[in-house]
Amino acid sequence: MKAERTDEAARLEALRQYQILDTEPEPAYDSLAQLAAYICGTPIALVNFIDEHRQWFKARVGLDVPEMPRNVGLSYLCQERRDIVVVTDTLADEKLANNPVVTADPYVRFYAGVPLITPKGDVLGTLCVLDRVPRELSQKQIEALLALSRQVISQLELRRNLAEVSRYAEEVKQTETSLLESEQRLKLALQTARLGSWQLDLKTEELSASNQCKVNFGLPTEAEFSYGMLFERIHPDDRAYVQESVKQALENKTDYQAEYRNIWSDGSVHWMLARGRGVDEVNDPTRMIGVTLDITERKQVEEELKRQNRRSQLFAQITVKIRETLQIEEILQTTVTEVQKLLQADRVLVFQLWADGSGTVVQEAVLPGWPVMLEKNLFDPCFKEEYLERYRQGRVSAMEDIESAHIQPCHREFLQQFGVRSNLVVPILVREGIWGLLLAHQCATPRRWNSFEIELLQQLANQIGIAISQAQLLEKETCYSQELARSNAELEQFAYVASHDLQEPLRMVTSYLQLLEHRYKSKLDANADQFIAYAVDGAHRMQTLINELLKYSRVSTRGQPFVPVDCNAVFKQAIANLQVAIEESGAVITHDPLPEVIADATQLTQVFQNLISNAIKFRQNLTPQIHIGVVKGGVDADRQSLNVIPAKDEWLFWVRDNGIGIESQYAERIFVIFQRLHGRTKYPGTGIGLAICKKIIERHGGNIWVESEPGQGSIFYFTIPDKAGKQS
Ligand code: ADP
């Protein structure tokens, strides 16, 4: 009994294994179909195979189409029943009468089909005969049809065995081809894939090998070839591995596979792929059969791939380093060591050029035995005259052999001092021009630099160029901000010391002046009275100045921690401090609802006070109208018709007045300490107020600026970051 196999997936898999679908017509199948038609006397006979979607005709007589949809036709009956099906008249059966092959061309009235069942029980298709008229088959005809179907199966089996035999070859080829990228390479590989076959008697160690197998071992086809010879040809380092692989395969009854090196008589090394299998006759393998294939080229491709891989890794590594550190020394060091290893060059170095055309080797990786160039200051007049300009334009130079290259003799001599035989040079360019060179040297032999190597070096030089530019910028920036911080600190120190230390003598001057005023007023002449008045006034002003200066210096030294501050309270305090000026001027001060911000309350009060006080002080002949506005960035900023849109996480405040205004050219200057735009007699003041505001706002992480037009009033803006992310 044949095993029942209902699993459709398994059936399809089995069908695929026979590799019959979509193959060319073959005489063996064609004659079986013709015989069937002849024996049964029908005009149509088919050998079909049924896959997921269709019945495909391997052989057909009397029918033009190469295939039919699976659900059309009557072969499904056969497949379902797994037995011969004879339909003498399709029109007699209601179900069949509507089948498209019955109702339309080829108008089938008679059908007889035999399932094609494999030894494993899979129904792959049918052998069938059809007619356009009703018909019956005799017992003999049925037997003949069955016999023919067995012939079809035998053909299939034969085919599969052949396929099995060539499976090794296919697999081997596939292993090879899967590694190769382009179609061209694939073709090449297939051409060079010279498969040799061998058989080894495991008892006698008698080896029989095909000619190709001998060729694969570097032997002429007529040469004697023994197992001993074969073994001797295997690279000594690979022999144990090969033996072990064979042993394992025999023990585990698995396929043997090994990739090893052969050494030919001329000393050349060739990679071999060997596959084999123990042939098991009495449950104990006595022979091993297999194939060999020269895979040297594949190995080379693999090696090249590995190298490429390492190249991209190196490239990534250096790029990451550049992003991370900007430590030029470290970057250059990694570059030379890794490039030297990767290119297997005798020397790799970075040469930094100076303005006069000389240069210094700042990093070097050199193999032992070759002159060390590190830290050497070099000057090659030929280089300067002939080559520098070309490198400046980004040129790359790849010299295979300096002995035969067309170069200036002086340049050749210069290179020879360092044992250089072959030279690959790429420029390292930065924004301003050329910074230096990245070089690879081969000292022992000439060397042809391939495009990968040249490109790699170029890409690295580009990366290095970027890193150097960035590092230079960073250095400039750091220097600048260090300088700025230092001068600020000095200024603060000075302001503090000066204001603090001056207070004491000034107090003395003031009190003695007051004494003078008190005692001698009207007792000396009128001039003396006036002089004393000037001195007293001067002393007062100096007192104010010193107090202001002290306030200025204390912004950063005496600042309070930032806490949530209610701006309404801050505003009230500022107004209270300015009570007198407000009353005198009749100023009208309005404000938006004020939020809570994270700030130093005292300092914020000072900002409001200074700005409102200026708004009153620099008024025109009008009642001062002052408005304090505020918006939160990102929330309601667009509600206002502002010229400025604050950032998402900050408050934008402004103090708007209808005063005299400021010419735009002074908009920045007024925030600098002691800078004033008017004489003291017209508008008294010290020129420190806005400098203090700026310092306070900057301490809070904000900005302050003014927008104004002379005669049109001013708007002083300042921002306070909303550090705690609070909403009003
Ligand atoms: P002071 O008010 O003591 O002169 P500030 O540092 O507060 O010093 O101001 C610097 C200068 O900026 C002022 O002298 C004035 O010329 C100008 N200024 C400041 N605020 C206003 C304003 N609201 N309107 C017009 N000019 C102003």
Side-chain angles (χ1 to χ4, degrees):
M1 280 293 288
K2 283 168 191 166
E4 281 278 325
R5 293 199 7 147
T6 50
D7 183 355
E8 173 67 1
R11 186 190 77 80
L12 290 169
E13 180 52 35
L15 175 61
R16 231 163 267 129
Q17 276 175 12
Y18 283 96
Q19 297 182 0
I20 186 84
L21 288 173
D22 299 307
T23 50
E24 291 295 313
E26 286 172 63
Y29 296 89
D30 288 344
S31 27
L32 287 171
Q34 270 155 9
L35 263 174
Y38 176 75
I39 291 169
C40 300
T42 57
I44 305 171
L46 302 166
V47 175
N48 63 10
F49 293 99
I50 303 170
D51 71 4
E52 289 97 322
H53 311 294
R54 57 186 180 147
Q55 17 173 330
W56 175 80
F57 306 135
K58 173 66 184 170
R60 57 194 150 91
V61 173
L63 201 68
D64 282 341
V65 287
E67 58 185 40
M68 266 189 200
R70 183 171 171 167
N71 51 3
V72 168
L74 307 175
S75 290
Y76 73 94
L77 291 172
C78 225
Q79 202 191 351
E80 274 171 18
R81 282 189 213 161
R82 303 176 59 83
D83 204 353
I84 184 163
V85 170
V86 181
V87 180
T88 46
D89 186 358
T90 51
L91 294 185
D93 183 320
E94 215 177 291
K95 251 206 233 149
L96 302 182
N98 292 324
N99 195 296
V101 291
V102 178
T103 55
D105 192 49
Y107 300 101
V108 176
R109 289 291 293 275
F110 167 78
Y111 172 88
V114 189
L116 300 173
I117 303 179
T118 66
K120 283 191 178 156
D122 292 305
V123 181
L124 303 184
T126 65
L127 166 67
C128 57
V129 288
L130 304 103
D131 203 346
R132 296 185 179 89
V133 291
R135 161 185 296 282
E136 280 183 10
L137 288 188
S138 68
Q139 193 54 35
K140 280 223 156 109
Q141 282 172 313
I142 289 176
E143 272 166 23
L145 208 54
L146 286 169
L148 287 176
S149 81
R150 283 194 293 275
Q151 283 299 313
V152 176
I153 290 293
S154 303
Q155 277 298 326
L156 276 175
E157 285 300 306
L158 195 65
R159 176 187 195 87
R160 200 172 65 151
N161 290 343
L162 282 172
E164 182 77 6
V165 169
S166 60
R167 190 172 62 87
Y168 279 154
E170 279 303 317
E171 275 183 22
V172 167
K173 277 181 197 166
Q174 268 163 19
T175 324
E176 163 115 335
T177 52
S178 64
L179 271 159
L180 299 173
E181 297 158 332
S182 67
E183 213 172 298
Q184 211 182 1
R185 275 187 170 158
L186 181 94
K187 270 189 201 154
L188 197 68
L190 286 172
Q191 279 167 11
T192 51
R194 304 207 180 99
L195 213 59
S197 61
W198 51 269
Q199 176 170 313
L200 179 69
D201 187 312
L202 294 170
K203 299 233 160 66
T204 61
E205 290 199 343
E206 197 181 315
L207 177 73
S208 64
S210 71
N211 286 346
Q212 185 59 53
C213 189
K214 291 180 194 171
V215 172
N216 287 350
F217 279 89
L219 292 167
T221 48
E222 64 279 4
E224 284 287 308
F225 196 32
S226 68
Y227 184 61
M229 284 169 75
L230 181 152
F231 204 68
E232 255 169 40
R233 300 206 143 225
I234 297 176
H235 193 292
D237 292 352
D238 295 347
R239 284 178 195 161
Y241 150 72
V242 173
Q243 272 181 322
E244 186 56 27
S245 305
V246 173
K247 195 170 143 232
Q248 288 284 331
L250 290 172
E251 271 175 19
N252 303 334
K253 297 197 190 314
T254 52
D255 283 0
Y256 149 70
Q257 175 166 328
E259 287 181 12
Y260 55 86
R261 285 163 295 176
N262 279 328
I263 304 179
W264 289 10
S265 323
D266 63 0
S268 58
V269 177
H270 297 254
W271 275 94
M272 178 79 86
L273 167 66
R275 297 197 65 170
R277 180 181 280 180
V279 181
D280 188 351
E281 274 147 12
V282 273
N283 215 10
D284 185 23
T286 51
R287 285 178 302 133
M288 191 170 217
I289 56 166
V291 289
T292 56
L293 179 70
D294 188 324
I295 54 163
T296 311
E297 198 192 345
R298 190 194 91 192
K299 282 285 176 187
Q300 280 165 352
V301 172
E302 275 177 5
E303 274 305 305
E304 187 53 34
L305 276 175
K306 265 192 221 154
R307 261 206 296 276
Q308 269 184 46
N309 211 10
R310 271 171 44 213
R311 243 169 240 158
S312 18
Q313 270 174 4
L314 168 65
F315 189 63
Q317 194 185 335
I318 288 176
T319 315
V320 166
K321 205 155 244 169
I322 288 171
R323 299 274 142 76
E324 276 174 5
T325 69
L326 278 190
Q327 294 295 321
I328 294 300
E329 215 183 296
E330 207 180 308
I331 293 168
L332 296 182
Q333 160 105 61
T334 315
T335 309
V336 294
T337 32
E338 295 302 320
V339 171
Q340 187 276 323
K341 273 193 256 161
L342 187 66
L343 300 189
Q344 298 187 337
D346 293 333
R347 182 191 293 116
V348 173
L349 61 93
V350 175
F351 187 59
Q352 184 172 4
L353 283 164
W354 309 119
D356 63 0
S358 71
T360 309
V361 177
V362 289
Q363 282 295 348
E364 182 184 33
V366 61
L367 288 187
W370 300 110
V372 171
M373 295 176 74
L374 187 63
E375 284 170 9
K376 281 218 161 70
N377 290 315
L378 303 172
F379 183 67
D380 172 12
C382 294
F383 169 79
K384 191 185 169 199
E385 283 155 27
E386 288 284 319
Y387 307 103
L388 186 57
E389 190 47 41
R390 294 190 226 170
Y391 289 128
R392 211 192 292 281
Q393 287 162 9
R395 205 195 75 148
V396 169
S397 154
M399 233 177 267
E400 187 177 340
D401 187 355
I402 62 159
E403 281 173 19
S404 57
H406 294 291
I407 51 171
Q408 296 285 333
C410 55
H411 188 45
R412 178 175 299 129
E413 275 162 34
F414 176 79
L415 292 170
Q416 278 170 340
Q417 295 173 57
F418 303 105
V420 180
R421 183 76 193 266
S422 177
N423 196 11
L424 174 59
V425 190
V426 297
I428 300 171
L429 301 170
V430 291
R431 280 164 311 138
E432 296 81 24
I434 189 163
W435 179 90
L437 304 170
L438 175 60
L439 303 98
H441 287 161
Q442 207 63 30
C443 298
T445 51
R447 172 168 180 168
R448 181 179 293 242
W449 304 95
N450 66 34
S451 58
F452 273 132
E453 292 163 340
I454 298 174
E455 263 165 41
L456 173 80
L457 224 60
Q458 249 179 326
Q459 284 175 338
L460 289 176
N462 287 345
Q463 289 295 317
I464 295 170
I466 293 169
I468 290 170
S469 299
Q470 286 181 349
Q472 283 172 346
L473 275 180
L474 190 73
E475 200 180 345
K476 256 191 216 158
E477 189 111 313
T478 322
C479 275
Y480 177 72
S481 51
Q482 276 171 353
E483 184 57 29
L484 199 69
R486 197 175 54 80
S487 75
N488 274 347
E490 273 173 10
L491 183 69
E492 239 164 54
Q493 186 68 13
F494 166 77
Y496 183 76
V497 171
S499 50
H500 189 265
D501 292 0
L502 282 176
Q503 262 183 331
E504 193 42 42
L506 186 64
R507 231 174 265 136
M508 195 134 69
V509 171
T510 318
S511 48
Y512 276 102
L513 276 174
Q514 279 166 348
L515 200 65
L516 265 180
E517 195 182 29
H518 191 67
R519 288 228 186 127
Y520 298 101
K521 198 163 187 207
S522 320
K523 291 192 182 143
L524 303 169
D525 62 12
N527 271 347
D529 281 354
Q530 205 179 8
F531 294 158
I532 291 173
Y534 285 158
V536 171
D537 181 47
H540 279 310
R541 272 197 289 116
M542 195 181 269
Q543 189 95 56
T544 332
L545 199 63
I546 284 172
N547 283 340
E548 294 282 292
L549 207 53
L550 208 53
K551 271 192 215 156
Y552 177 81
S553 71
R554 281 177 177 163
V555 170
S556 42
T557 54
R558 300 282 169 88
Q560 298 297 309
F562 298 159
V563 290
V565 171
D566 177 8
C567 289
N568 290 296
V570 163
F571 172 74
K572 271 193 196 129
Q573 184 59 52
I575 295 295
N577 296 347
L578 295 168
Q579 196 56 42
V580 179
I582 294 170
E583 273 170 19
E584 270 177 16
S585 64
V588 179
I589 305 175
T590 55
H591 63 86
D592 289 351
L594 297 174
E596 187 181 83
V597 299
I598 310 295
D600 173 335
T602 318
Q603 293 192 339
L604 201 56
T605 311
Q606 199 154 16
V607 171
F608 276 112
Q609 191 177 319
N610 286 0
L611 295 179
I612 297 170
S613 143
N614 280 350
I616 298 172
K617 182 163 60 174
F618 297 102
R619 63 179 180 267
Q620 315 193 61
N621 296 327
L622 291 167
T623 307
Q625 301 274 355
I626 302 164
H627 181 79
I628 289 98
V630 63
V631 287
K632 173 87 183 290
V635 179
D636 52 0
D638 48 352
R639 200 186 61 189
Q640 315 276 341
S641 52
L642 291 173
N643 295 342
V644 246
I645 304 287
K648 206 167 135 257
D649 303 321
E650 63 182 17
W651 292 100
L652 173 72
F653 288 88
W654 64 94
V655 177
R656 189 180 63 222
D657 64 41
N658 57 346
I660 59 169
I662 300 158
E663 280 186 51
S664 58
Q665 75 215 63
Y666 301 123
E668 289 192 15
R669 202 209 279 182
I670 54 170
F671 293 98
V672 176
I673 193 163
F674 302 133
Q675 296 288 336
R676 317 193 63 239
L677 306 178
H678 309 278
R680 236 183 319 108
T681 35
K682 201 166 181 197
Y683 299 104
T686 55
I688 301 179
L690 287 180
I692 290 178
C693 291
K694 184 169 159 68
K695 221 170 169 205
I696 291 175
I697 295 303
E698 283 175 356
R699 180 177 168 240
H700 283 74
N703 281 313
I704 183 167
W705 69 98
V706 68
E707 278 174 15
S708 180
E709 252 182 68
Q712 302 295 314
S714 314
I715 309 178
F716 282 82
Y717 291 98
F718 64 91
T719 58
I720 303 272
D722 188 20
K723 289 219 177 102
K726 287 196 171 188
Q727 301 284 324
S728 60

